[in-house]
Amino acid sequence: MTLEPDTAQKPTRAAYSDGPRLLADIGATHARFALEIAPGVLRNVAVLLCDDYPGIVPLLNAYLAQTQAQGSNTRITHAAFALANPISGDFIRMTNRDWQFSTEEVRRTLGLTTLLIVNDFTALAMALPGFKPEDLLQIGGGKPVSNAVAGVLGPGTGLGVSGVIPTLDGFVTLGSEGGHVNFAPADEREFAILQYAWREWQHVSNERLISGPGMEIIYRALALRNGVEAPPRDAAAIMAGALEQKDLLCLEVLECFAGMLGGAAANLAVTLGAFGGIFIGGGIVPRMAEWFKTSPFRTRFEAKGRFSSYLAQIPTYVIMMPTPALYGVSSILSEHLRNRSGANTLMERVQHLQAELSPAEQRVAQLVIEHPRKVLSEPIAEIAKLADVSQPTVIRFCRSLGFSGLADFKLKFAGSLTGTIPVRHSQVRMTDSTHDLSAKVIDNTVSAILRFRDQLDVNSIDRAIDILRRAKRVEFYAMGNSRVVALDGQHKFFRFRIPTSSYGDSHLFALAAELLGPGDVVVAISTTGQLPELLDAVDVARAAGADVIAITSSKSALARKASVCLAVDHSEDSTTFLSMISRILQLLLIDIMAVGISLGPAGEAVADGDSERRRLLISHLDI
């Protein structure tokens, strides 16, 4: 591993208040790491060889151990990784390495609050807007158009492809696997290479040839075509043979490789309309940048028949900075944390776009900026009156920002305000329209669920799932509003072929508990956790040797008596109101446990037929 020394320059930007952020760009061959101590300020940049580690956790631990040895002992809370792999869901199985892992398990193992994993070229695309002229080497002519789409591709162990689309308030990246499009030869020589590759693969993609391993295929194919004896060479040796030894076969390989890359870049440019430029990343081209300037790349890029003049306008660049994807994941992580922490990104969007609105819409925007809570709580007629505009103008303002109407705007705006809206039934007024009351009820519920997610005690959930997975019998005890939660649990667990029953009569709690024994489990559900009959039944069940899982307030008497407490600390006055949101949070815990039971230990699927039948019953699972 190589660890670059920190520069003596002190960061000019304020350091993150919650400590440095761990950034990584993990490819098939190398992994690059850094600690970001302030926006755009990287320290402890390191490169590790992936072959030296059996999995991603040992790789991460090796880097963290090295940073600690260098004196960086600050606890890391947030991390983001770019991975040379398609990313879909929590479980990741790498295509170019024999590694597989759960993102959530890695997060918990490292003790992180946040862990994001994105495709490496999605991260690279997100880094494009931040590049400076000194970070790039332009190949050929063309000038970038401001606020235009840009494309990126890069040969390395594979061929990554992505793009970035500017919007009024930021950028959107494309999650693409464009490296796997069919390779299209442009001349007889490339057709001979394709025929050679067909001997091994029925489908030959761009990645098969425009990559490090592809360069080796081109080398062997051209040696056969030219009738020459050629010693085995890997991609690095082929490049060295061409650039240092001037070997004719190796030079022909690079020329052919550059031409193929130029054709692929041109196809990406016309597909995206990439007048912001085409950027070449990856680990190969920057190492031969000086030769690449005069290579066939740009000539082939513009060789598009009727569209040659179209492509001549589009600039092409080689990305020369050593760790560009790290800046991309930094940007993605910052945006994620800004949204999670309640930073007012939508308010910033209103401020940014205000000058582009009509004068009447600007008055609505000013009202939003100066009185955001009032906009959230008032109906459209009152908003129009306060802004001194018509009601259609309020709707036009919302649509100018990309929303379907006022209700849609309110839903998104409420979630973006610093702090969440207090959950009170009094927020809905008698004069509210159906749109307004719908927006308020949904927003209250969503904000409560997000807070609940952030406060989950995963260790308690793990213990509860383990107890339930080994249970001989499960009984649900609940009354009142929680009764529906108990019935939902009984329905789900019974479908798992677990002996299950549910009791909602306080007189039956203790009688049922007396019949329990070791290996049995009671799931006691109560918003307040103070019901005397329920507490007595829990005492009986514990005395009989049964385990008790309580879904209740963490400070309640029921929580103290239970084997495991799954806390729902949402505040609702159940003496006056129906506990609507608390019930939803309780149902979520039932769902979490049901999904957990359908999986094997530590989230790995169990192979036996019973577990397979359980998995088929769970809609959350990818089967």
Side-chain angles (χ1 to χ4, degrees):
M1 177 173 79
T2 60
L3 188 65
E4 298 179 6
D6 292 348
T7 61
Q9 177 184 352
K10 294 184 179 180
T12 57
R13 303 179 184 181
Y16 292 124
S17 59
D18 51 2
R21 299 172 179 179
L22 173 61
L23 308 177
D25 176 17
I26 303 174
T29 306
H30 295 95
R32 293 167 176 81
F33 292 91
L35 297 181
E36 185 180 32
I37 62 173
V41 182
L42 305 186
R43 294 290 183 265
N44 299 93
V45 178
V47 181
L48 289 76
L49 189 64
C50 293
D51 282 342
D52 292 342
Y53 304 93
I56 191 169
V57 172
L59 174 74
L60 296 167
N61 284 335
Y63 171 73
L64 293 173
Q66 184 70 18
T67 60
Q68 290 173 1
Q70 295 287 326
S72 299
N73 295 316
T74 306
R75 184 179 184 277
I76 296 169
T77 304
H78 307 297
F81 305 157
L83 199 67
N85 207 76
I87 307 299
S88 177
D90 174 75
F91 188 77
I92 296 171
R93 182 179 285 106
M94 293 188 66
T95 55
N96 292 319
R97 299 204 65 80
D98 188 22
W99 290 0
Q100 55 186 26
F101 57 90
S102 158
T103 301
E104 175 61 17
E105 285 184 21
V106 173
R107 183 192 68 79
R108 289 164 51 191
T109 300
L110 297 180
L112 300 170
T113 301
T114 306
L115 173 58
L116 303 182
I117 298 184
V118 300
N119 175 265
D120 57 340
F121 269 76
T122 298
L124 186 56
M126 198 63 183
L128 297 186
F131 287 149
K132 302 178 179 63
E134 58 266 28
D135 298 328
L136 303 169
L137 173 66
Q138 184 165 357
I139 308 296
K143 292 184 178 180
V145 175
S146 60
N147 295 318
V149 175
V152 59
L153 72 166
T157 305
L159 177 66
V161 175
S162 188
V164 61
I165 302 172
T167 65
L168 288 174
D169 59 339
F171 298 90
V172 174
T173 59
L174 299 177
S176 170
E177 288 298 325
H180 297 284
V181 302
N182 289 33
F183 171 73
D187 53 33
E188 185 276 333
R189 181 174 64 178
E190 290 184 6
F191 183 65
I193 295 170
L194 176 60
Q195 288 179 308
Y196 182 87
W198 272 337
R199 296 179 181 182
E200 187 167 353
W201 301 291
Q202 189 174 18
H203 170 257
V204 178
S205 65
N206 275 346
E207 181 175 271
R208 291 293 191 190
L209 299 177
I210 311 173
S211 62
M215 189 180 290
E216 298 165 20
I217 294 171
I218 297 170
Y219 175 80
R220 295 195 298 270
L222 291 180
L224 179 65
R225 179 175 183 269
N226 297 344
V228 300
E229 292 290 335
R233 282 184 163 121
D234 61 14
I238 293 168
M239 292 174 61
L243 303 178
E244 299 170 14
Q245 302 158 21
K246 308 303 179 184
D247 180 271
L248 293 179
L249 177 61
C250 293
L251 280 167
E252 187 179 4
V253 171
L254 289 199
E255 289 173 0
C256 201
F257 179 88
M260 292 176 176
L261 182 58
N267 287 340
L268 180 63
V270 295
T271 300
L272 296 180
F275 284 96
I278 292 291
F279 296 78
I280 307 298
I284 294 177
V285 177
R287 289 155 56 190
M288 55 179 179
E290 285 302 314
W291 175 87
F292 196 74
K293 285 192 294 187
T294 57
S295 76
F297 169 83
R298 183 70 192 189
T299 300
R300 176 71 173 277
F301 179 81
E302 295 184 16
K304 210 67 171 175
R306 293 174 297 163
F307 271 72
S308 293
S309 58
Y310 178 96
L311 285 161
Q313 304 172 64
I314 298 177
T316 50
Y317 306 93
V318 177
I319 301 169
M320 299 302 295
M321 67 184 309
T323 55
L326 294 182
Y327 290 94
V329 291
S330 166
S331 178
I332 292 169
L333 179 58
S334 293
E335 183 65 22
H336 174 83
L337 294 176
R338 194 157 44 239
N339 291 338
R340 282 285 302 278
S341 63
N344 207 346
T345 54
L346 184 50
M347 179 73 85
E348 293 171 356
R349 181 177 173 185
V350 173
Q351 293 170 333
H352 177 70
L353 298 179
Q354 189 175 7
E356 301 180 22
L357 301 174
S358 68
E361 290 172 356
Q362 287 182 14
R363 292 199 291 276
V364 181
Q366 195 62 33
L367 178 67
V368 169
I369 293 168
E370 295 178 355
H371 303 286
R373 297 290 179 185
K374 189 173 287 294
V375 171
L376 285 171
S377 62
E378 298 296 342
I380 186 171
E382 186 63 21
I383 293 172
K385 180 180 178 181
L386 291 169
D388 194 21
V389 298
S390 66
Q391 294 184 30
T393 299
V394 176
I395 301 300
R396 284 197 299 272
F397 162 79
C398 297
R399 290 177 178 169
S400 295
L401 270 69
F403 300 99
S404 60
L406 181 60
D408 186 29
F409 171 77
K410 283 185 175 183
L411 283 174
K412 305 299 190 300
F413 187 50
S416 74
L417 286 174
T418 303
T420 54
I421 300 174
V423 180
R424 297 192 309 266
H425 289 272
S426 58
Q427 286 180 309
V428 177
R429 300 180 180 181
M430 297 296 292
T431 56
D432 279 348
S433 68
T434 303
H435 277 302
D436 287 330
L437 72 89
S438 298
K440 291 178 181 179
V441 169
I442 293 172
D443 179 71
N444 292 342
T445 304
V446 169
S447 63
I449 290 173
L450 292 177
R451 285 198 305 272
F452 179 65
R453 178 192 63 183
D454 293 340
Q455 296 167 2
L456 274 179
D457 182 350
V458 179
N459 291 328
S460 294
I461 292 174
D462 272 340
R463 289 169 55 204
I465 291 172
D466 183 61
I467 290 171
L468 290 168
R469 191 178 285 128
R470 294 182 283 104
K472 297 177 181 177
R473 177 178 181 81
V474 178
E475 295 188 346
F476 291 85
Y477 297 176
M479 289 185 63
N481 199 52
S482 298
R483 176 73 171 136
V484 68
V485 181
L487 291 172
D488 182 70
Q490 180 193 19
H491 173 73
K492 288 187 171 69
F493 284 43
F494 184 76
R495 286 167 63 85
F496 288 156
R497 304 298 192 270
I498 298 174
T500 309
S501 57
S502 175
Y503 297 97
D505 186 334
S506 61
H507 300 292
L508 294 179
F509 287 163
L511 294 176
E514 289 175 354
L515 300 177
L516 300 176
D520 295 331
V521 179
V522 170
V523 179
I525 308 164
S526 172
T527 302
T528 64
Q530 307 296 338
L531 185 66
E533 293 88 348
L534 185 58
L535 297 176
D536 291 342
V538 166
D539 288 337
V540 172
R542 294 298 303 275
D547 284 304
V548 174
I549 298 171
I551 300 179
T552 187
S553 166
S554 62
K555 301 185 183 302
S556 67
L558 177 58
R560 293 191 293 271
K561 290 177 177 289
S563 311
V564 179
C565 175
L566 304 182
V568 177
D569 288 322
H570 181 74
S571 176
E572 282 182 289
D573 183 3
S574 58
T575 61
T576 305
F577 301 112
L578 293 175
S579 4
M580 300 168 70
I581 294 178
S582 294
R583 180 197 61 201
I584 291 173
L585 302 182
Q586 291 167 353
L587 286 167
L588 282 173
L589 285 172
I590 295 292
D591 277 359
I592 290 168
M593 290 190 292
V595 174
I597 290 169
S598 69
L599 302 178
E604 296 180 1
V606 179
D608 64 89
D610 184 63
S611 294
E612 181 63 26
R613 185 167 57 249
R614 290 180 182 180
R615 289 197 298 274
L616 293 173
L617 299 172
I618 297 296
S619 62
H620 290 279
L621 298 183
D622 180 8
I623 56 176

